């Protein structure tokens, strides 16, 4: 009952090198063609211009897709969404547990992962697995999509920048428990202290450079000292009297 494009989407290994363009740069497969049921790289887009294309993004080694694109293909209700780079995304696959399960609160029906109160699934694959195991018709959750294009701003490499924060919808804190605003403020403080230290070092160097021209050594050159010592006559030695 699972369509070929859906099974291929959940089994494809993205962000691996494209076999057709092994020698080319930026040849990672970060686009999925629904018509060909295959992952492609940016160099393959010419042969898939008229096809339905889905961009795959990655955050912390996990594949995510935009919620706006996922809603065009299937019903993503009760799947926990996240906000990153001003866009909502959902995870494709189940993620490993990093924290022990809480006794109270909401959790994924399939894998028991901690969730927010209004969600029942942590990823698209978890909802698909639950629908198949419960005996429901998968066609009730799939939608007809005749057109699916890449973002208008162009195709990027699909990797989130290190300073981007993946946050649950409606949350003001990151998964590590720190606020994104505090993190930005900390970076700003570090940059400010580094700049101040650089200015102090520059001022010290400029002051030293101004002192150096007027500095004279206390001792004269070695040649002058040797000439003075050679011309000086040795006086009569003073001996202690004999008693």
């Amino acid at each position: 009952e699972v369509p070929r494009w859906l099974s291929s989407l959940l089994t494809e290994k993205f962000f691996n090198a494209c076999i057709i363009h092994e020698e080319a740069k930026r040849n990672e497969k970060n686009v999925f063609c629904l018509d060909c049921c295959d992952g492609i790289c940016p160099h393959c887009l010419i042969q898939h211009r008229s096809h339905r294309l889905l961009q795959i993004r990655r955050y912390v080694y996990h594949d995510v897709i935009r919620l706006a694109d996922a809603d065009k293909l299937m019903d993503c209700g009760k799947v926990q969404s996240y906000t990153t780079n001003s866009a909502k995304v959902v995870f494709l696959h189940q993620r490993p547990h990093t924290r022990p399960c809480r006794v109270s609160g909401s959790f994924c029906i399939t894998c028991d992962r901690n969730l927010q109160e209004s969600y029942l699934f942590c990823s698209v694959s978890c909802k698909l697995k639950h629908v198949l195991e419960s005996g429901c018709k998968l066609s009730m959750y799939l939608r007809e999509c005749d057109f699916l294009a890449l973002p208008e701003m162009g195709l990027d490499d699909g990797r989130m920048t290190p300073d981007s924060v993946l946050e649950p919808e409606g949350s003001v804190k990151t998964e590590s428990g720190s606020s994104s605003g505090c993190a930005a403020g900390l970076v700003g403080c570090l940059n400010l202290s580094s700049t101040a230290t650089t200015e102090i070092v520059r001022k010290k160097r400029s002051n030293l450079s101004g002192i150096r021209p007027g500095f004279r050594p206390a001792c004269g050159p070695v040649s002058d000292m040797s000439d003075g010592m050679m011309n000086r006559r040795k006086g009569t030695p003073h001996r202690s009297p004999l008693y």
Side-chain angles (χ1 to χ4, degrees):
E1 297 181 0
V2 181
R4 182 167 172 259
W5 67 265
L6 183 56
S7 60
S8 300
L9 175 64
L10 297 178
T11 56
E12 178 68 47
K13 299 297 183 181
F14 294 102
F15 294 93
N16 289 337
C18 178
I19 301 178
I20 303 176
H21 303 92
E22 286 183 328
E23 303 299 331
K25 296 181 179 180
R26 300 183 62 181
N27 61 348
E28 293 181 333
K29 296 187 294 183
N30 59 353
V31 177
F32 181 77
C33 180
L34 277 76
D35 296 325
C36 300
C37 300
D38 193 14
I40 60 177
C41 74
H43 304 285
C44 302
L45 294 177
I46 300 178
Q47 291 79 16
H48 302 264
R49 288 180 178 178
S50 59
H51 296 177
R52 295 172 296 171
L53 302 177
L54 176 65
Q55 182 176 4
I56 310 299
R57 300 175 182 271
R58 173 158 288 195
Y59 181 83
V60 196
Y61 303 103
H62 294 286
D63 299 333
V64 297
I65 57 176
R66 293 181 303 174
L67 181 60
D69 294 336
D71 282 334
K72 297 178 182 179
L73 302 173
M74 65 194 76
D75 180 13
C76 293
K78 300 301 180 180
V79 178
Q80 180 163 325
S81 60
Y82 294 78
T83 302
T84 177
N85 295 346
S86 302
K88 292 182 179 180
V89 297
V90 290
F91 284 91
L92 281 178
H93 306 284
Q94 172 186 342
R95 292 172 292 159
H97 294 269
T98 57
R99 299 177 183 177
C101 296
R102 296 174 296 182
V103 178
S104 61
S106 180
F107 53 89
C108 181
I109 298 178
T110 305
C111 66
D112 297 332
R113 184 179 181 84
N114 296 330
L115 301 174
Q116 291 183 342
E117 293 295 335
S118 58
Y119 298 104
L120 298 177
F121 307 99
C122 68
S123 62
V124 174
S125 61
C126 284
K127 183 172 183 177
L128 174 62
K129 183 178 180 180
H130 174 74
V131 171
L132 295 177
E133 291 178 352
S134 60
C136 299
K137 292 184 178 180
L138 186 61
S139 58
M140 299 175 56
Y141 297 89
L142 300 180
R143 296 170 178 171
E144 294 292 336
C145 181
D146 298 329
F147 177 78
L148 186 62
L150 297 176
E152 296 180 358
M153 66 285 298
L155 180 68
D156 53 26
D157 58 0
R159 296 184 181 274
M160 304 298 180
T161 55
D163 58 347
S164 65
V165 178
L166 189 64
E167 300 178 354
E169 182 181 2
S171 175
V172 296
K173 292 186 177 181
T174 62
E175 291 184 343
S176 60
S178 60
S179 175
S180 59
C182 295
L186 178 60
V187 174
C189 293
L190 293 176
N191 294 337
L192 181 61
S193 61
S194 177
T195 305
T197 305
T198 305
E199 292 296 332
I200 293 174
V201 172
R202 289 179 179 176
K203 289 181 179 180
K204 288 184 177 181
R205 289 181 177 177
S206 62
N207 295 336
L208 291 175
S209 61
I211 296 174
R212 286 176 181 174
F215 177 76
R216 300 294 181 183
C219 300
V222 178
S223 59
D224 298 341
M225 294 177 62
S226 59
D227 294 341
M229 294 179 64
M230 294 297 294
N231 295 332
R232 189 178 61 181
R233 298 182 61 182
K234 185 176 180 182
T236 305
H238 297 280
R239 297 179 180 178
S240 59
L242 298 176
Y243 295 100

